Amino acid sequence: MEKIIISISLWGKTKKEPKWDEWYEDVKKLADSIGINMTHLGIRSTNYSSSKILTIRRKEKDILECIKKGEKIDSFSVYSLPENYQIASFDYDLYIVRNMSFISISMKEKYYNSMTEQRFILSMNKYIDFETGEVFSTSDKEVPLIYTATRDKSNLETFESIKIIK
């Protein structure tokens, strides 16, 4: 059965301050506020260039140490995945990513409400020089991050189920 994914995307240039480790702590607090435990992370940086995601339990300490030492981060993503997940980009309950041009959160519809939306926007605005934002829904069979990454309205036609909410 198809499920609905709600995404909140904020576009703009990433601020250098506050730091990436502070962003990560805020992400964990946001997840906790809706009853979700983050389980995995992905990072693209000077020392981490693999596209594989890592378990928080095994790699969080190492990655935070690199960040505190001033490692240049290109992208940082955090996931809540079930134990038996098959493909991270489809099986998440919550997925949050920050890179140099946007911050986006995608979640199963059951976790979304106006309070979650407001908390996310308020918390993440301190990490980006906000240009524009959007709230939209897609099927869990589609990858909302593709739309967010391209930020191209003409790309909407390639998504069968996308609906712009705000």
Side-chain angles (χ1 to χ4, degrees):
M1 183 170 103
E2 252 181 52
K3 294 190 171 118
I4 300 297
I5 301 296
I6 304 293
S7 297
I8 306 165
S9 295
L10 308 176
W11 289 279
K13 194 171 181 100
T14 296
K15 293 179 181 178
K16 291 184 178 167
E17 296 290 333
K19 304 208 182 297
W20 289 89
D21 55 338
E22 293 172 29
W23 174 82
Y24 177 65
E25 291 303 320
D26 278 351
V27 163
K28 290 194 311 185
K29 286 177 194 165
L30 282 168
D32 190 49
S33 75
I34 57 173
I36 293 179
N37 181 38
M38 302 310 275
T39 59
H40 292 75
L41 47 81
I43 188 165
R44 295 193 66 67
S45 68
T46 309
N47 289 318
Y48 291 93
S49 59
S50 170
S51 60
K52 294 186 185 245
I53 61 169
L54 310 162
T55 62
I56 287 175
R57 187 179 66 246
R58 287 193 357 241
K59 283 296 188 178
E60 178 182 57
K61 186 178 176 184
D62 294 343
I63 288 173
L64 289 176
E65 220 171 90
C66 287
I67 291 170
K68 286 183 185 192
K69 288 181 181 174
E71 175 139 356
K72 182 184 178 306
I73 309 296
D74 296 318
S75 174
F76 196 168
S77 53
V78 188
Y79 301 77
S80 175
L81 293 167
E83 262 186 56
N84 59 347
Y85 81 93
Q86 299 288 314
I87 302 170
S89 56
F90 294 107
D91 295 340
Y92 59 84
D93 286 323
L94 180 66
Y95 169 61
I96 304 175
V97 61
R98 175 185 177 195
N99 68 21
M100 301 313 282
S101 58
F102 65 83
I103 298 174
S104 186
I105 180 173
S106 294
M107 69 192 88
K108 288 185 178 169
E109 184 178 36
K110 69 181 182 180
Y111 297 110
Y112 173 77
N113 60 46
S114 61
M115 288 295 287
T116 303
E117 177 186 322
Q118 292 216 326
R119 258 185 295 206
F120 171 75
I121 292 169
L122 285 171
S123 181
M124 294 297 113
N125 258 337
K126 65 184 173 188
Y127 300 102
I128 196 163
D129 286 323
F130 180 79
E131 291 173 13
T132 190
E134 236 171 58
V135 180
F136 60 94
S137 68
T138 59
S139 156
D140 66 346
K141 305 295 182 228
E142 296 180 308
V143 182
L145 188 59
I146 293 172
Y147 173 68
T148 298
T150 62
R151 191 180 164 190
D152 183 359
K153 293 267 189 224
S154 65
N155 200 16
L156 286 172
E157 293 174 6
T158 63
F159 291 88
E160 291 180 23
S161 68
I162 196 164
K163 291 184 182 115
I164 304 301
I165 299 169
K166 290 183 183 178

